[in-house]
Amino acid sequence: MNKIGQEQRLEQTTNLSASQIQAIKMLELTGLELEGRIEQELEENPALEENPEGERLGEDEEAKGQEGLDGQDWELGEYASEDDIPAYKLQEIQERQSRREEIPFAASAPSLDELLMEQLSMTRLSERERELARYIIGNINADGYLDRSIEQLQDDLLFKVGLDTSEAELETMIARIKTLDPAGVGAKDLRECLILQLERKGEGEGDSETHLALELLRHHYEDFVNKRFDQLREALGVDAEQLAALYSLISRLNPKPGNIASDEGEDRLAHYIPDFIVGERDGELQLTLVGEREIPLLRLSPMYVEMIEQERQEGSRNKGAREAMSFLRHKIDRARWFIDAVAQRQHTLRTTMQAIMVHQREFFLSGEVLDLRPMILKDIAQATGLDISTISRVSNSKSVQTDFGVYPLKFFFNEGITSEGGDEVSTRRIKEALRRIIETEDKASPYSDAQLVEVLAREGYPLARRTVAKYREQLRLPVARLRKQL
């Protein structure tokens, strides 16, 4: 039988204030997003305005508005209408909107679905065929593969669309889709994708090399994938040079034909704006926050502060006046939070980047990966006095432009090991050494992971075999068998 009773328990919990939550959200914004956020706040809060003179209100003047606050946590809501906002403020908003630059957006490239349906629309299709084609194309993944079986498509069409189709009808439509551009689209796997591209190529050229490559993929695919060169030479009746040419031909095909549809549009729309610029001048590193000058200086509206001060001295005479003052207090409090959050964001970004510059000074001066020092979040947190979670937020969402390229901040964070000489060596430096060793190895007899351990040890990097295998996988380098070349 359950008993009902009372229990006393002492717990320690952490609650974030509204200003802390706002500061965290502000920290995650990019420079462009911050400009938009400030613009939005200026339009929504009449107690916040730009300070064109570049002078903020003094502490004494701001304190006057603070004295009128009674400490209540006001609920955010749609308090203001155009009647509540002074005429001069409405005019400022209209002028700011009229000066806002229009951002030219590049026309986005058509999606793969649109590209395929556009090609099919140029042929004769019944309404039923069009519905089938639209559903089949909708099941083609981003890489261009149709990885659903005929049975699955039949079931989906029957239960979701209400079309009862035969296997032959679906196979005919799928075969029709496979004739569309880009070549290889609609294939069920990589093997068929490559075959479709070679067949399209063979139609125009008809050379013996293409036919041999087709025979290789159709009848000896497993030997091809596993690079069993001796078996392939014997089966195809070719020498090593001819087999190398076949591998070269197949390697030039596109394993992901669906990506072609979006590459061009993505290239046009890819505008990458870093958050910091670090440059060297006379042997010293100079730091610039991108867009810092574009961020307007903000201040509390002097008129609203004066109204709060007047209300504090005279007192509210009726209920309507008290409600109006409550609205003003809320807006001033929100404006003050926002100003502090923007200032705190800029300070946190600058402090964090300066600490990274000190820790990775050699890299910023040389641009050599080998000059990167081991550095973890805790190192920068201790140097700045900030919390590790704050450093993590900055490093995960920000990037820096250097004299040698643009890097995400998380690029500079890496653990390290102690070399045989007793020096701290970053894991990124070890990975670069591993990449160099693999790139310069004898491709006819590539190093196994165990051999890579020995080579790295001779260079002063003592590692376990599983660690070498992990670093190799992180570098997206295959095992020795798959690195083998003729």
Side-chain angles (χ1 to χ4, degrees):
M1 181 176 179
N2 295 329
K3 294 182 179 180
I4 300 176
Q6 292 183 336
E7 179 183 354
Q8 186 174 9
R9 184 170 56 186
L10 183 63
E11 289 184 344
Q12 184 175 1
T13 60
T14 302
N15 293 321
L16 295 178
S17 66
S19 58
Q20 289 173 319
I21 294 174
Q22 184 155 333
I24 290 173
K25 291 181 178 180
M26 201 76 69
L27 189 63
E28 295 174 342
L29 299 178
T30 65
L32 289 177
E33 290 171 339
L34 178 62
E35 291 182 33
R37 180 71 181 85
I38 292 175
E39 187 76 18
Q40 177 186 354
E41 194 69 21
L42 284 169
E43 293 180 4
E44 293 179 355
N45 191 349
L48 182 70
E49 62 181 35
E50 293 185 30
N51 190 1
E53 294 81 12
E55 297 178 359
R56 302 185 186 277
L57 292 175
E59 294 182 0
D60 295 339
E61 195 170 4
E62 285 191 1
K64 294 177 182 179
Q66 180 65 23
E67 289 176 6
L69 299 176
D70 56 8
Q72 296 184 19
D73 187 11
W74 299 96
E75 292 290 333
L76 300 182
E78 296 296 330
Y79 295 104
S81 65
E82 288 193 1
D83 295 334
D84 299 319
I85 303 176
Y88 86 95
K89 176 60 68 174
L90 289 175
Q91 183 177 357
E92 284 184 6
I93 293 174
Q94 293 171 359
E95 291 177 354
R96 188 161 54 246
Q97 288 176 334
S98 66
R99 293 196 305 269
R100 183 183 299 169
E101 296 182 359
E102 295 184 1
I103 303 175
F105 289 98
S108 60
S111 66
L112 180 62
D113 293 10
E114 295 170 338
L115 183 63
L116 296 177
M117 287 304 299
E118 183 180 351
Q119 294 177 67
L120 280 177
S121 66
M122 300 178 185
T123 62
R124 280 191 168 186
L125 288 176
S126 65
E127 189 59 36
R128 178 182 176 85
E129 289 175 328
R130 190 180 303 279
E131 190 68 27
L132 286 177
R134 183 179 293 110
Y135 191 81
I136 293 171
I137 288 173
N139 279 274
I140 294 176
N141 62 31
D143 292 334
Y145 292 97
L146 180 61
D147 50 10
R148 294 178 65 79
S149 67
I150 296 291
E151 292 77 13
Q152 289 174 322
L153 291 174
Q154 282 181 299
D155 291 342
D156 288 347
L157 283 165
L158 180 60
F159 291 107
K160 295 182 179 179
V161 185
L163 285 177
D164 187 7
T165 59
S166 66
E167 183 176 336
E169 187 179 20
L170 281 175
E171 287 178 344
T172 300
M173 182 54 66
I174 291 173
R176 195 167 181 177
I177 291 172
K178 289 177 182 178
T179 64
L180 304 176
D181 290 325
V185 72
K188 62 183 178 182
D189 53 31
L190 176 60
R191 178 185 183 183
E192 185 182 11
C193 176
L194 298 176
I195 290 174
L196 288 173
Q197 294 179 58
L198 284 174
E199 287 177 341
R200 190 84 60 92
K201 178 181 175 65
E203 291 174 2
E205 299 181 7
D207 61 303
S208 59
E209 189 178 75
T210 302
H211 292 307
L212 275 175
L214 281 169
E215 182 181 351
L216 185 156
L217 293 176
R218 286 170 178 160
H219 307 295
H220 310 286
Y221 186 71
E222 289 299 320
D223 289 336
F224 165 75
V225 170
N226 291 285
K227 296 191 175 183
R228 298 168 185 152
F229 300 138
D230 293 337
Q231 290 93 320
L232 289 173
R233 283 199 298 265
E234 182 179 352
L236 298 174
V238 297
D239 57 24
E241 184 178 348
Q242 291 172 311
L243 185 58
L246 293 178
Y247 267 88
S248 177
L249 171 62
I250 295 174
S251 68
R252 292 195 296 271
L253 302 177
N254 185 5
K256 297 180 180 180
N259 290 351
I260 293 179
S262 58
D263 282 349
E264 184 181 352
E266 289 177 357
D267 289 342
R268 290 202 304 264
L269 291 174
H271 299 289
Y272 194 78
I273 301 178
D275 301 275
F276 308 95
I277 298 177
V278 175
E280 181 269 334
R281 183 180 300 172
D282 298 329
E284 294 297 326
L285 295 176
Q286 305 290 329
L287 172 63
T288 303
L289 266 64
V290 176
E292 187 174 34
R293 294 183 179 179
E294 284 72 27
I295 297 176
L297 290 173
L298 304 173
R299 69 176 181 182
L300 299 179
S301 168
M303 182 188 73
Y304 276 60
V305 173
E306 183 178 350
M307 291 172 64
I308 290 293
E309 168 63 12
Q310 184 177 356
E311 187 270 343
R312 185 184 68 83
Q313 294 178 354
E314 299 178 359
S316 300
R317 299 178 180 178
N318 53 58
K319 181 179 179 182
R322 288 195 299 271
E323 290 179 352
M325 288 302 105
S326 295
F327 167 75
L328 293 183
R329 294 189 191 103
H330 163 67
K331 288 299 182 182
I332 288 179
D333 198 18
R334 175 170 169 172
R336 183 178 288 108
W337 283 350
F338 190 80
I339 292 171
D340 291 343
V342 172
Q344 184 176 346
R345 174 190 185 273
Q346 299 304 95
H347 173 73
T348 300
L349 292 184
R350 184 176 292 277
T351 302
T352 302
M353 191 64 232
Q354 286 173 339
I356 294 175
M357 288 166 56
V358 171
H359 207 91
Q360 302 290 5
R361 174 181 172 83
E362 289 75 12
F363 172 83
F364 285 109
L365 292 175
S366 68
E368 296 291 337
V369 175
L370 297 180
D371 287 332
L372 279 174
R373 296 174 54 197
M375 184 178 78
I376 59 176
L377 295 173
K378 184 179 179 181
D379 296 330
I380 302 303
Q382 290 177 344
T384 59
L386 300 171
D387 191 80
I388 290 181
S389 62
T390 301
I391 305 300
S392 177
R393 290 177 186 275
V394 175
S395 62
N396 284 333
S397 59
K398 303 294 183 290
S399 59
V400 56
Q401 176 182 320
T402 72
D403 293 336
F404 312 98
V406 178
Y407 300 91
L409 289 196
K410 59 184 178 182
F411 169 82
F412 301 100
F413 292 89
N414 59 96
E415 296 181 351
I417 66 168
T418 302
S419 67
E420 291 183 349
D423 299 326
E424 285 287 326
V425 181
S426 70
T427 55
R428 198 174 297 278
R429 181 173 179 176
I430 298 172
K431 290 179 183 179
E432 286 301 312
L434 179 60
R435 186 197 301 276
R436 172 179 49 79
I437 292 170
I438 291 177
E439 287 177 350
T440 58
E441 69 185 353
D442 181 5
K443 297 305 179 184
S445 180
Y447 293 124
S448 65
D449 287 346
Q451 291 172 319
L452 288 171
V453 170
E454 297 176 1
V455 177
L456 286 168
R458 288 198 295 268
E459 295 196 6
Y461 308 130
L463 297 172
R465 189 192 63 79
R466 64 168 175 255
T467 304
V468 171
K470 181 182 73 172
Y471 289 169
R472 176 180 52 73
E473 291 172 358
Q474 290 174 351
L475 293 171
R476 298 184 180 180
L477 296 171
V479 296
R481 174 174 52 83
L482 298 180
R483 299 199 307 273
K484 188 176 181 181
Q485 296 180 8
L486 291 169

